[in-house]
Amino acid sequence: MSSSSNPSNTKSGYEVRRLQLEPTPQLDALVRAAGDLYTRTVISFWRTVRKHGLWLKPSAMMRWHTSDQLHAHSADAVVQGFYAALKSWRKRRKTDPHAKPPHRRRRYYRVQWKSSAIRVQDGSLVLSNGRGHAPLVVPWSWEAPVLVELGWAGTAYELRAVYSRPTAEPVTAGKVAGVDLGEVHLAVAHDGERTVIVNGRKLRSIRQYQNKLKATLAAKQARRKKGSRRWRKLQRSKRKQLRKLDHQMHDILHKQTTTLVSTLHASGVQTVAIGDVRDLRQRVDYGPTANQRIHQMVTGQVRWMVTYKAKRLGMRVELQDEAYTSQECPRCEHRHKPRGREYLCPACGFRFHRDGVGAINIRRKYLGSGPVVGAMASPTGVRWHPHRRVCVAR
Ligand SMILES: [Zn+2]
């Protein structure tokens, strides 16, 4: 599922919050039930016109055709959809002699829920369907919309929640994950229970190889006369090889961030607090300046990708000042600079993966809560596999 967290304003003063939903048997069944109802409406309407010369009214059609699976008002909306198309054709044909009436059968049709079928309960949007059919439940941290529509948006379903006035801030933050962006690990997320680590090793090795390649090719080129045929040939080859590596890195970033975001989403996270990386340089000791630049670029990209992918899944994304988050002990708030990959608190003995500590603290600061208590589960990793198939579209 997903969304833009800044809902778009339409001219009429309505506000629409859009969320993407991955196809599920339930969603498929709903749009198919609507398609079936629409098709029955189309057939009956034109058959009645043909056989009896009668244009049935929408109310008569709504009584005639209903659907088991859809809420009564959702079923009415499908029939109304046909009549709206009919009306638009009658208007169009006044100026366009080639305008065609709505004749086409639909395998799928959009499903609408009116306010009578919409409620928000325990952080979920609950959309009622026909009697005996499970409601559609979507994690939700906002108020109840007045109208909800489910349609197909090319690669996934899109849920459009319509508000009659500008929506307020989310009513709850829901489950919160803290995300720490870094070098060795591209990102580490902690949601209060689990810690997920996105490994950056493969990306780094490609980057190192890219640097080596640049140096080798530059040395080769230096032996040729600048602008000569040989020189230009080398130049072309260099560009091609470097571009290929760029694509590989981009692909890794996409797959890694998609996996991270879908993992968070699957565990019910509704708000993602990302450590603000602007003062990162003071925090970590870097080598050459060039590395800093590249690193900042990658962190920025990871942050950007995590942000838009999380928003698309309906999550709220916030930046959290991450000062001292890598040093402070999540249990006793004692500060010390960890050595190596493990954080071990000299004051209370708290022991955890170093990068995990940052994510735990970012979450803790975002929530404004005190020290964490109890044991923490060991982090799980998200590694990059060349043939990983991600189910969430980019
Ligand atoms: Zn401690």
Side-chain angles (χ1 to χ4, degrees), residues 130-391:
R131 195 159 296 156
H133 293 269
L136 175 60
V137 181
V138 178
W140 200 256
S141 52
W142 300 279
E143 292 171 75
V146 290
L147 178 76
V148 177
E149 188 177 280
L150 173 72
W152 184 250
T155 52
Y157 285 108
E158 188 178 64
L159 197 73
R160 296 176 279 266
V162 181
Y163 290 86
S164 56
R165 56 187 171 78
T167 49
E169 280 291 285
V171 286
T172 64
K175 191 170 177 180
V176 175
V179 175
D180 189 25
L181 305 179
E183 165 90 3
V184 177
H185 296 106
L186 289 178
V188 182
H190 178 77
D191 67 4
E193 293 155 39
R194 290 200 304 157
T195 308
V196 182
I197 293 181
V198 176
N199 197 295
R201 200 169 294 138
K202 181 68 189 170
L203 192 80
R204 256 186 319 150
S205 81
I206 293 180
R207 212 158 61 199
Q208 277 157 9
Y209 174 63
Q210 196 182 37
N211 285 337
K212 221 165 86 186
L213 189 73
K214 268 182 200 161
T216 316
L217 293 174
K220 257 192 191 172
Q221 235 177 347
R223 277 182 250 129
R224 309 283 168 200
K225 190 163 172 277
K226 192 172 177 184
S228 69
R229 200 176 54 83
R230 291 270 190 170
W231 185 91
R232 276 184 280 125
K233 199 177 166 192
L234 279 166
Q235 184 74 3
R236 274 198 302 277
S237 153
K238 186 169 90 179
R239 286 227 181 100
K240 197 175 160 190
Q241 293 184 64
L242 293 179
R243 193 160 52 224
K244 190 179 163 196
L245 293 175
D246 273 343
H247 287 162
Q248 274 181 15
M249 290 194 284
H250 197 72
D251 184 57
I252 292 171
L253 282 179
H254 261 303
K255 283 178 175 153
Q256 294 276 58
T257 50
T258 297
T259 311
L260 174 71
V261 171
S262 24
T263 307
L264 295 178
H265 182 240
S267 64
V269 169
Q270 289 179 0
T271 301
V272 180
I274 302 182
D276 199 341
V277 290
R278 274 173 296 190
D279 58 355
L280 196 76
R281 255 180 309 170
Q282 289 133 40
R283 206 164 63 91
V284 191
D285 182 37
Y286 286 108
T289 346
N291 272 350
Q292 272 182 30
R293 233 188 6 250
I294 291 165
H295 168 52
Q296 282 172 342
M297 224 166 62
V298 170
T299 325
Q301 264 183 316
V302 172
R303 176 161 56 155
W304 170 71
M305 285 180 184
V306 169
T307 302
Y308 90 78
K309 288 173 185 184
K311 283 185 174 176
R312 201 169 54 183
L313 288 172
M315 295 186 241
R316 193 149 74 115
V317 179
E318 302 278 353
L319 288 181
Q320 172 62 49
D321 170 29
E322 64 172 14
Y324 305 112
T325 47
S326 62
Q327 295 176 20
E328 214 164 81
C329 170
R331 193 189 284 160
C332 73
E333 299 187 325
H334 171 88
R335 276 179 201 168
H336 97 115
K337 281 201 173 131
R339 285 168 181 227
R341 299 315 305 162
E342 196 186 51
Y343 183 98
L344 173 61
C345 176
C348 75
F350 177 86
R351 191 188 283 266
F352 203 70
H353 194 294
R354 174 180 170 167
D355 286 355
V357 169
I360 294 171
N361 282 328
I362 286 166
R363 178 178 181 275
R364 198 165 59 84
K365 291 204 165 181
Y366 175 79
L367 290 172
S369 57
V372 297
V373 287
M376 291 273 168
S378 288
T380 51
V382 172
R383 272 208 209 90
W384 178 79
H385 299 290
H387 305 298
R388 181 195 295 282
R389 291 187 50 185
V390 283
C391 52

Side-chain angles (χ1 to χ4, degrees), residues 24-37:
T24 64
Q26 187 189 24
L27 295 177
D28 293 343
L30 285 166
V31 292
R32 217 174 284 139
D36 172 60
L37 176 55

